[in-house]
Amino acid sequence: WKDDKFTHLDSDIEKLRVRTTMYISYTGSRGALHLCKELINNAIDEAANPQSPCDTMEVEYDVNSNRLTVRDNGRGIPFEQVETVCSYLQAGSNLFKSTDKKNAGEYAGENGVGLTAVNALSKEFSLIIYRDGKRGLFTFDDGKLVDTKYTKCSEKNHGTTVTFVPDEKYLGKCKIDHTEV
């Protein structure tokens, strides 16, 4: 039979690239906008979490470079978890939260797809995280963590900043429509 040859992709980054619309529904500008909304929703989720100190979010879009930056002053992703949550599907803190009716709306998001999708479909992707008196800069290239730099900072600093540029290689023509963000 012609279809007896099976393929298995080990890398979640490759899964997202090969079947993009299975994970984010769209390619092109709509796909890029979906990735923007994912980052914004992550910051909203952090602000809505009663355990988070987050009270500020910022969204910045550079039209010339098609670069989106989303900042929050929440807890900050634990440094040791950054590569996992940016490289593997279903990696996050919402997976085993209660789903009863009382708490169902408390935890939004796609349960560990978002940051991995943004990473997989980005030409540029980086995070700056402030947590526990340290600042961590995490730079990814082609879906892989390539550089990590830590510096000391004030214990008062906390939060996550994510910057990305969508990649036409995977999304096609993908100029972010900033009127929709």
Side-chain angles (χ1 to χ4, degrees):
W1 302 98
K2 290 183 181 182
D3 64 349
D4 277 353
K5 187 174 181 181
F6 291 87
T7 302
H8 173 75
L9 297 173
D10 286 323
S11 164
D12 288 348
I13 296 292
E14 284 305 309
K15 290 174 188 174
L16 281 149
R17 290 174 175 170
V18 169
R19 292 286 184 243
T20 301
T21 57
M22 189 169 105
Y23 295 96
I24 67 165
S25 301
Y26 307 102
T27 57
S29 293
R30 286 182 78 182
L33 184 61
H34 182 99
L35 299 176
C36 294
K37 289 179 179 180
E38 181 61 44
L39 294 181
I40 293 166
N41 286 338
N42 285 350
I44 291 169
D45 288 349
E46 183 63 20
N49 187 319
Q51 296 178 28
S52 173
C54 184
D55 63 4
T56 303
M57 294 172 24
E58 297 175 22
V59 178
E60 179 182 320
Y61 176 63
D62 183 330
V63 166
N64 296 323
S65 63
N66 202 31
R67 176 178 288 112
L68 183 83
T69 301
V70 178
R71 292 179 191 86
D72 70 60
N73 67 341
R75 296 164 292 175
I77 299 168
F79 297 129
E80 64 278 2
Q81 297 297 319
V82 171
E83 186 173 17
T84 299
V85 300
C86 294
S87 303
Y88 297 97
L89 295 170
Q90 283 77 49
S93 62
N94 289 348
L95 296 176
F96 295 105
K97 300 273 195 239
S98 173
T99 56
D100 62 25
K101 289 184 180 182
K102 180 176 141 190
N103 294 324
E106 202 172 312
Y107 306 103
E110 296 180 16
N111 296 310
V113 174
L115 278 178
T116 305
V118 176
N119 180 23
L121 305 172
S122 292
K123 183 165 51 172
E124 295 178 25
F125 180 70
S126 65
L127 296 90
I128 298 172
I129 298 169
Y130 293 92
R131 189 177 170 106
D132 302 326
K134 289 196 324 193
R135 176 189 185 270
L137 170 61
F138 302 85
T139 306
F140 289 76
D141 185 35
D142 197 32
K144 295 177 183 70
L145 181 63
V146 293
D147 195 23
T148 305
K149 293 181 182 158
Y150 296 101
T151 54
K152 289 184 180 183
C153 69
S154 168
E155 290 278 340
K156 295 178 183 178
N157 292 349
H158 47 83
T160 302
T161 301
V162 182
T163 300
F164 95 104
V165 175
D167 197 331
E168 290 186 2
K169 183 168 40 173
Y170 306 111
L171 294 171
K173 187 175 179 184
C174 56
K175 186 75 170 165
I176 297 168
D177 182 354
H178 63 282
T179 63
E180 297 284 330
V181 173

